[in-house]
Amino acid sequence: MRFTSEQRLDDGVLERAFTLGDIPGTLWTPGSAPAPLVLMAHNNGLPMAEPRLVARARYTAARGYAVATIDAAGCGDRPRSAADEQARAGLRRAMRAGEPVDEILESLVGPLVENAVPEWRTTLDALLELPETGGGPVGYSGGWTALGIRLAVVEPRIAAVSFFAGGYVPRAQREEARQVTVPLLFLLQWDDEGNPRQRALDLFDAFGSKEKTLHANVGGHTGTPWFELEDGCRFLDRHLK
Amino acid sequence: MRFTSEQRLDDGVLERAFTLGDIPGTLWTPGSAPAPLVLMAHNNGLPMAEPRLVARARYTAARGYAVATIDAAGCGDRPRSAADEQARAGLRRAMRAGEPVDEILESLVGPLVENAVPEWRTTLDALLELPETGGGPVGYSGGWTALGIRLAVVEPRIAAVSFFAGGYVPRAQREEARQVTVPLLFLLQWDDEGNPRQRALDLFDAFGSKEKTLHANVGGHTGTPWFELEDGCRFLDRHLK
């Protein structure tokens, strides 16, 4: 892991870009170390520089966490496969035409998750060797619900997960949801135009966790109220601190 | 309003019994006054001395609120009408026989709400004259969702409402739910044996509030996790302080 740039933010958080082989990433650490590690991914390959992810990461770091994100294979500015390009073009076409997008999302997000998981695990190995993280425990918090499900199933080091939205999750992860048994916070927007409500509720129902909490707020996909940021950190506090 | 007994609790909260005409009640106030008033009612006429209500009231008072509850007409130890006794006997019989209870609950809870509302409003008038409450603002927080809906609709002094469960709410209040427009926190247990999940979700959907938040936790009716107490106070903090 090689740090390529750094800046100290107003609230004392240190934001550093890093590379790990081909993987570009960002690590935010609070003033006091070590701090529990939180992996934070953005939905379906949106770039790690996306402002809402960066805002959430900085807030969470200021609350005493080491927060990391990466652009995994096929995500952000990294090269995309021909199949991936084709699926994305098909998705745009179908959405313009008002046609169903389920099968396209399946063919797009399914492989994206499969390819992302090994890179997130490699990153996790490297991050847990840093003195800043103190070796664990680890939380997952993010908009990419399908990736979080897969990581929680294969990665015993993940002790708590917090998901957002989750109306569109590939079949494979919908089926593995019952294998997720760590404490879980599931956040959704009641009128999310891109994530069918009933499907998100069914997913919440499917998780195997004995401690699982649903938070839903009225409004569309980007309308999550600010206090959910704080609630998310309080959930992590209960399980990682 | 006449105070009939008082005790100072370990956390500095003053717990006082009062009577207001025929209405018996309890007021919990924190060390520092004045404090925003929270009306807290227990579901469908359960007595105000019920331990879970008392625990929630004491916790909320310690967090800086004046909390009040009463046994309204037909509730707790107060005399019950013949119709009420008959409905309760019918409810027990139907539940033992595993028969549907909707119509019985309708005939039991409907009049209970109608009779309780004027007594709660009389109590509110008296409470807001006390220096301990500073005249407002007022929140409603409680397990008796139907009463809270009715009060929120008729009582402009109520600025925020927090409800629990709410699977069984009389038709009249299900219909008025869309007239509730103040900020709302709706708490439910995902596997509540006494409150059908879909009906509670439909009720949440119906409220007219622009700011409404749903919290759901896995488990049965009495399994609400402790952190929801804190979340409930943080909701009140956002709107009453």
Side-chain angles (χ1 to χ4, degrees), chain A residues 43-61:
Chain A
N43 201 18
N44 299 340
L46 279 180
M48 63 177 174
E50 209 274 341
R52 285 185 299 149
L53 181 138
V54 171
R56 213 169 66 237
R58 287 175 173 178
Y59 179 93
T60 307

Side-chain angles (χ1 to χ4, degrees), chain A residues 5 18 43 100 114 120 137 169 172 194 197 216-217 222:
Chain A
S5 74
F18 65 81
N43 201 18
E114 285 306 317
W120 276 93
V169 164
R197 185 193 300 165
N217 290 282
T222 58

Side-chain angles (χ1 to χ4, degrees), chain B residues 111-198:
Chain B
L112 215 51
V113 172
E114 286 305 318
N115 296 330
V117 165
E119 297 203 351
W120 276 93
R121 298 187 77 182
T122 301
T123 309
L124 179 55
D125 291 340
L127 289 166
L128 286 180
E129 281 174 20
L130 297 177
E132 290 90 329
T133 66
V138 183
Y140 177 90
S141 164
W144 196 354
T145 298
L147 174 69
I149 292 172
R150 185 94 199 98
L151 278 176
V153 168
V154 299
E155 188 47 79
R157 291 174 292 186
I158 292 182
V161 290
S162 150
F163 298 143
F164 174 58
Y168 281 112
V169 163
R171 244 171 256 123
Q173 277 71 57
R174 288 207 299 277
E175 280 162 20
E176 343 189 80
R178 68 195 67 252
Q179 296 174 48
V180 175
T181 55
V182 292
L184 180 149
L185 175 64
F186 193 78
L187 175 63
L188 65 86
Q189 284 296 96
W190 198 244
D191 314 290
D192 192 327
E193 51 282 11
N195 286 282
R197 185 193 302 166
Q198 192 56 52

